[in-house]
Amino acid sequence: MQPSAQPRAWLDVVASAKTTTEDKPEAMEEILILAKDKQRARIFLEEGILDSIMWIIDRYREKLGRNAAWDDWAHPTITPEETKAAKLAASCCLTLGKSHCAAIHTEGDLLLM
């Protein structure tokens, strides 16, 4: 696989409904590594990775605040993989934000020169 295709491939893994909860933490770890690069972070953001990342975090928070009505869920308990994926998703949000900020500042500096 070409290096330029890696961000989109990992995004597909995270965004896919067929990805198991065991596979999401691995994908999030790879995204966390790739997101430290400004150009790759831009690809992730342009492709809409925040939707998938926020869904992981949202789902985790819903399970944390569940009540008796949540017992109807197929998997109402929080697995260690879900906890790990949610923590990695939060870290990815921070890393993507830092990379985006760095990219914007770099562009601004180049415009000023």
Side-chain angles (χ1 to χ4, degrees), residues 4 6 13 16 18 34 36 39-40 43 48-49 58 68-71 79 82 84 87 90 99 101-102 104 108 111:
S4 61
Q6 284 180 333
V13 171
S16 175
K18 294 181 180 182
L34 293 171
K36 292 178 182 175
Q39 282 73 30
R40 288 182 176 153
I43 293 169
I49 194 164
D58 236 16
W70 295 98
D71 293 335
T79 64
E82 287 175 314
K84 184 176 181 182
K87 288 179 181 179
S99 293
C101 209
I104 296 302
L111 287 172

Side-chain angles (χ1 to χ4, degrees), residues 1-70:
M1 176 182 300
Q2 295 178 344
S4 61
Q6 284 180 333
R8 287 185 180 91
W10 285 112
L11 174 63
D12 290 344
V13 171
V14 170
S16 175
K18 294 181 180 182
T19 303
T20 63
T21 55
E22 291 83 17
D23 292 337
K24 286 201 189 268
E26 179 188 357
M28 298 303 297
E29 287 172 356
E30 292 295 326
I31 289 169
L32 191 56
I33 292 167
L34 293 171
K36 292 178 182 175
D37 178 63
K38 291 184 279 190
Q39 282 73 30
R40 288 182 176 153
R42 181 176 293 229
I43 293 169
F44 281 131
L45 292 170
E46 288 174 355
E47 293 292 324
I49 194 164
L50 289 179
D51 293 334
S52 299
I53 290 174
M54 292 309 297
W55 185 87
I56 292 168
I57 295 170
D58 236 16
R59 173 93 170 149
Y60 179 76
R61 292 198 50 167
E62 282 179 10
K63 283 187 168 188
L64 278 179
R66 70 188 174 127
N67 55 30
W70 295 98

